[in-house]
Structure formats: C-alpha cells, structure tokens
Amino acid sequence: MNPDVLVMVLLGAGVGLGVLVMINGFGPAPEPGEAAPLLRLRLGSAGTMRVAGAIGAALAVLVVTRWVAVAVATAVTVLVWPWLFGGARGQKTAIARLEALAAWIESVRDTVATGTALPEALPASAASAHPLIAPALWDLVDRMRAREPLDAALLEFADQLDDPTADEVIAALHLTMRTQGVQLKAVLSALATATRQQLQVRRQVEAERRSARRAQRVILGLFAAMVCGQLARNGGYVRP
C-alpha cells in the first residue's frame, strides 16, 4: 500500500475514534461504585452500527478516491441518512400509532358506557385493536389474567407503547381507578377528542414537511450529480 494512503487511512481511523470518544464523553456518568466501562455509548445497537458503518464507508471512499472531502461527506451522509430519507416513514408510523390509540380509547369508552367495569373493558378492547398496539394490549390482558395488579400492568403497558399520548391515557386510568371509576366515560371522551385533534395537527404538519423533504432530496441529488459529472469530465478542476 502506498505510504500516503496508509497515512490517510490511519488519520481517518483516528478521526473516527475521536468521534466515538467524544460521544462517549457526553454519555451519562457511571453510578457510584460502578466501574466505568471502556465505552459508554448510549446509541443503541442501531446507532452503534450506523456509526461503525459511517467510519467504514468513509475509509473505503478515502482509499479508493483519496479525496478527504468526499470521505467526510460519505460519513456524514451515512450518519444522517435516517433523518434525510427515513423521516417520512417514521412519521407515518407515529401517525398510525396515534390513530390506533384514538380508536382504542374510543373502544374502551364505548364499552365502559354500557356499564362494564374497566378490568373487563380492557380485554374486550383487545380483540379489535390496531396491529400497532395489539401485541402490547394482549400482553396487558395476559398480565391481568395472571392476577397482576391492574396499576402495575398498566404501567408496563405504557412502557411497551412508549408514547406520550399513551402515557396520558394510562395516567387518566390510574386516577379514575383511585376514584372507583367515577367519570371514567367523561375522561375517556375528553382524551379521545384531544387525541383526534392532535392527530389532525400531526397530519397537517406532515403534509407541510413532505414538500420540504422532496425539495431537500432534489437538492442533494443535483449536488451528487454535479460532483460525479465533474469527476468524470473535468477531474482536474476538482483535484485540488
């Protein structure tokens, strides 16, 4: 291997290691008495794989092109790829989950309106729940059938859903349990109305973001085409 290329590879590896150390430095400190791990990344498996992929892609581009700017741009592109091209999918999933929660709240409300108690209304609502929340809801039903206290089962249900709107619903159910279910129907009706309003706002915001994402992708595509064209037809111009 050319010594210059080897130096560039080592420099790139050093930069990548520096980024990891910087991220590690922003992580939470270990608890008292706990040994400090070598690397305290809090990115999760997907985030760690993305960082490793960015470093690997940058090194590969650096070895092939010997162009530091393109290598850095490649690393940044890999890191921000979910935000540039995966945001729409994530927003659609979030909106679908919110709509599923609204439908579930309305289902529980309608069941409670017939005089059914909450411990019986929750299992009844699981049969018609949206697939996005049905697994967590069936887990809740299984915990209730296993004689787990309802308040603890609801907290685990909220942890599984991991959604702010779901947290509001669970909090409301906790409060009504303490008051023996008084005004439960009114509380659920208010939550369903608020969730539907939030769903409408989220859809409007997503519609406005869609055009911005489209323009962003067009700009990135034109920039990439310009760079490739310059490399193919006028390499001397971009060599410096």
Side-chain angles (χ1 to χ4, degrees):
M1 180 181 292
N2 190 308
D4 293 337
V5 176
L6 180 60
V7 170
M8 287 190 293
V9 171
L10 293 176
L11 288 176
V15 170
L17 181 61
V19 172
L20 290 177
V21 171
M22 182 179 67
I23 297 174
N24 180 49
F26 283 107
E31 299 293 333
E34 178 185 358
L38 179 63
L39 194 61
R40 295 194 311 268
L41 285 177
R42 292 295 184 266
L43 298 174
S45 59
T48 304
M49 290 298 295
R50 193 179 305 122
V51 171
I55 296 174
L59 291 177
V61 171
L62 187 62
V63 171
V64 173
T65 66
R66 303 185 185 181
W67 196 0
V68 178
V70 174
V72 173
T74 301
V76 173
T77 302
V78 173
L79 288 174
V80 303
W81 185 272
W83 292 275
L84 291 177
F85 299 100
R89 187 182 300 109
Q91 288 299 322
K92 287 181 181 179
T93 302
I95 291 175
R97 186 185 296 111
L98 188 61
E99 186 171 8
L101 284 172
W104 174 69
I105 296 169
E106 293 167 348
S107 175
V108 176
R109 178 200 60 192
D110 296 339
T111 306
V112 169
T114 63
T116 306
L118 182 62
E120 288 76 29
L122 292 175
S125 66
S128 58
H130 192 279
L132 284 175
I133 65 172
L137 193 54
W138 281 115
D139 288 344
L140 169 64
V141 174
D142 291 339
R143 286 190 291 268
M144 293 173 60
R145 290 173 178 170
R147 303 297 181 181
E148 183 173 345
L150 183 56
D151 54 350
L154 286 173
L155 288 177
E156 293 182 22
F157 176 58
D159 290 338
Q160 280 186 276
L161 291 180
D162 193 19
D163 186 274
T165 303
D167 292 341
E168 294 178 3
V169 176
I170 301 305
L173 293 179
H174 266 280
L175 292 176
T176 54
M177 285 169 52
R178 294 179 180 179
T179 59
Q180 303 300 319
V182 178
Q183 299 296 325
L184 177 58
K185 179 185 175 183
V187 171
L188 291 174
S189 297
L191 284 171
T193 302
T195 304
R196 289 293 180 184
Q197 292 175 349
Q198 183 181 358
L199 182 61
Q200 183 179 1
V201 172
R202 293 279 291 272
R203 284 174 172 166
Q204 292 175 351
V205 171
E206 180 59 23
E208 295 176 357
R209 287 178 175 176
R210 193 176 297 116
S211 60
R213 289 195 187 100
R214 189 180 300 112
Q216 184 182 52
R217 291 170 183 172
V218 170
I219 293 173
L220 288 175
L222 291 175
F223 175 75
M226 181 190 69
V227 172
C228 293
Q230 290 284 2
L231 286 173
R233 302 183 60 86
N234 194 12
Y237 178 76
V238 295
R239 187 173 295 113

